[in-house]
């Protein structure tokens, strides 16, 4: 089936540094998402993105977070500066449409902030 | 707000037994997905099933919109079925974001 790729699979950084998580969505998909899962906890929605704009973001999507997809390349999640509580697995997803469409998930990037 | 309740929280089976996992949601939905999360954390899509019944091998999903529930049935469980099963839904009239349940941890032993 369609595949979403995420790079890197694991990232370790020091608190206060900037990190960029990369997502290569399914090629013809138009809607992109980030979800966050802290170890042992529930998966939670962060943000969705369409046509170059953030459509919706949750309370977890702090001011230090930003997303973009310049020129149809990677869909990225940038955190600047990082905090200890940002340690989690971040999953990217994409879908062809919004409501009622299946979302395809990547394998996740495990972010460890020291 | 919109909630997704999964039950049971955990389930221990002997190999060959059947499993029934439940997901209840609090409002009308646009989409319903079931995922299997490996012990290492990666997600595998099991079903996209916003309504009706779908089957794939030993797995069957049934979503009954009027009753606001979806189930995942695993027949003749195998040790390799062990892991966490997550359901997620996007609610009608809202955004496309998926709201996840807390998961059912399945352990199958020989």
């Amino acid at each position: 089936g369609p595949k979403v790729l995420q790079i890197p699979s694991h990232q370790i950084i020091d608190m206060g540094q900037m990190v960029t998580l990369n997502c290569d969505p399914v090629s013809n998909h138009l809607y992109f998402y980030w979800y966050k899962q802290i170890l042992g906890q529930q998966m939670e929605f962060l943000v969705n993105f369409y046509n170059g704009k953030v459509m919706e973001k949750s309370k977890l999507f702090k001011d230090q977070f930003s997303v973009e997809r310049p020129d149809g390349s990677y869909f990225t999640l940038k955190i600047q500066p990082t905090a200890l509580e940002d340690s989690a697995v971040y999953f990217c997803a994409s879908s062809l449409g919004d409501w009622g469409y299946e979302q395809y998930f990547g394998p996740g990037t495990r972010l460890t902030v020291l | 707000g919109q909630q997704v309740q999964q039950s049971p929280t955990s389930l221990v089976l002997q190999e060959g037994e059947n499993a029934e996992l439940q997901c209840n949601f609090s409002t009308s939905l646009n989409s319903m997905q079931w995922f299997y999360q490996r012990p290492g954390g990666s997600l595998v899509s099991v079903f996209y099933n916003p309504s009706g019944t779908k089957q794939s091998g030993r797995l069957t999903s049934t979503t009954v919109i009027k009753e606001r529930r979806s189930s995942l049935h695993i027949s003749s469980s195998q040790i390799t079925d062990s892991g966490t099963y997550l359901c997620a839904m996007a609610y009608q009239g809202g955004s496309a974001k998926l709201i996840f349940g807390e998961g059912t941890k399945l352990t199958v032993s020989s």
Side-chain angles (χ1 to χ4, degrees):
Chain A
K3 291 221 182 284
V4 175
L5 305 177
Q6 289 188 243
I7 302 163
S9 57
H10 196 169
Q11 179 90 49
I12 302 173
I13 59 170
D14 291 323
M15 183 176 62
Q17 286 190 318
M18 181 195 75
V19 68
T20 300
L21 308 184
N22 298 291
C23 172
D24 188 8
V26 178
S27 60
N28 61 336
H29 283 188
L30 302 174
Y31 293 80
F32 312 109
Y33 314 81
W34 285 103
Y35 293 84
K36 176 183 179 181
Q37 187 178 36
I38 294 173
L39 187 63
Q41 296 187 21
Q42 202 164 353
M43 181 89 72
E44 294 188 274
F45 167 80
L46 277 179
V47 66
N48 63 2
F49 188 84
Y50 167 71
N51 198 26
K53 297 175 189 171
V54 169
M55 303 301 290
E56 182 182 1
K57 56 186 179 181
S58 72
K59 290 182 293 186
L60 298 178
F61 194 79
K62 304 179 296 184
D63 291 343
Q64 298 91 322
F65 288 35
S66 63
V67 290
E68 63 176 356
R69 192 184 187 214
D71 301 324
S73 59
Y74 286 148
F75 175 51
T76 62
L77 173 65
K78 184 186 291 186
I79 309 174
Q80 181 179 26
T82 51
L84 294 176
E85 60 265 27
D86 297 331
S87 293
V89 180
Y90 292 83
F91 291 91
C92 171
S94 69
S95 62
L96 189 57
D98 49 2
W99 302 347
Y101 283 81
E102 182 175 4
Q103 292 183 24
Y104 293 81
F105 279 71
T109 293
R110 184 176 299 276
L111 176 65
T112 303
V113 181
L114 303 175
Chain B
Q2 291 73 25
Q3 291 185 347
V4 178
Q5 299 286 346
Q6 284 192 249
S7 61
T9 305
S10 63
L11 186 58
V12 179
L13 298 175
Q14 291 242 306
E15 202 171 14
E17 291 182 321
N18 298 333
E20 186 84 12
L21 282 55
Q22 295 288 344
C23 182
N24 292 281
F25 38 93
S26 59
T27 187
S28 300
L29 57 78
N30 265 330
S31 70
M32 164 61 70
Q33 296 185 232
W34 282 94
F35 298 91
Y36 165 67
Q37 188 162 39
R38 296 191 176 103
S42 62
L43 277 181
V44 177
S45 179
V46 178
F47 283 113
Y48 171 72
N49 187 22
S51 68
T53 297
K54 288 191 173 181
Q55 183 176 2
S56 175
R58 295 181 295 107
L59 303 180
T60 303
S61 169
T62 299
T63 299
V64 184
I65 295 175
K66 281 187 179 179
E67 297 177 14
R68 296 191 176 172
R69 62 174 178 85
S70 182
S71 63
L72 178 66
H73 182 85
I74 305 172
S75 63
S76 303
S77 62
Q78 299 177 359
I79 293 173
T80 51
D81 293 332
S82 298
T84 299
Y85 291 81
L86 303 175
C87 68
M89 55 85 72
Y91 62 91
Q92 202 170 66
S95 73
K97 69 181 181 189
L98 288 177
I99 301 170
F100 282 78
E102 294 189 7
T104 293
K105 185 174 180 181
L106 176 65
T107 305
V108 182
S109 58
S110 57

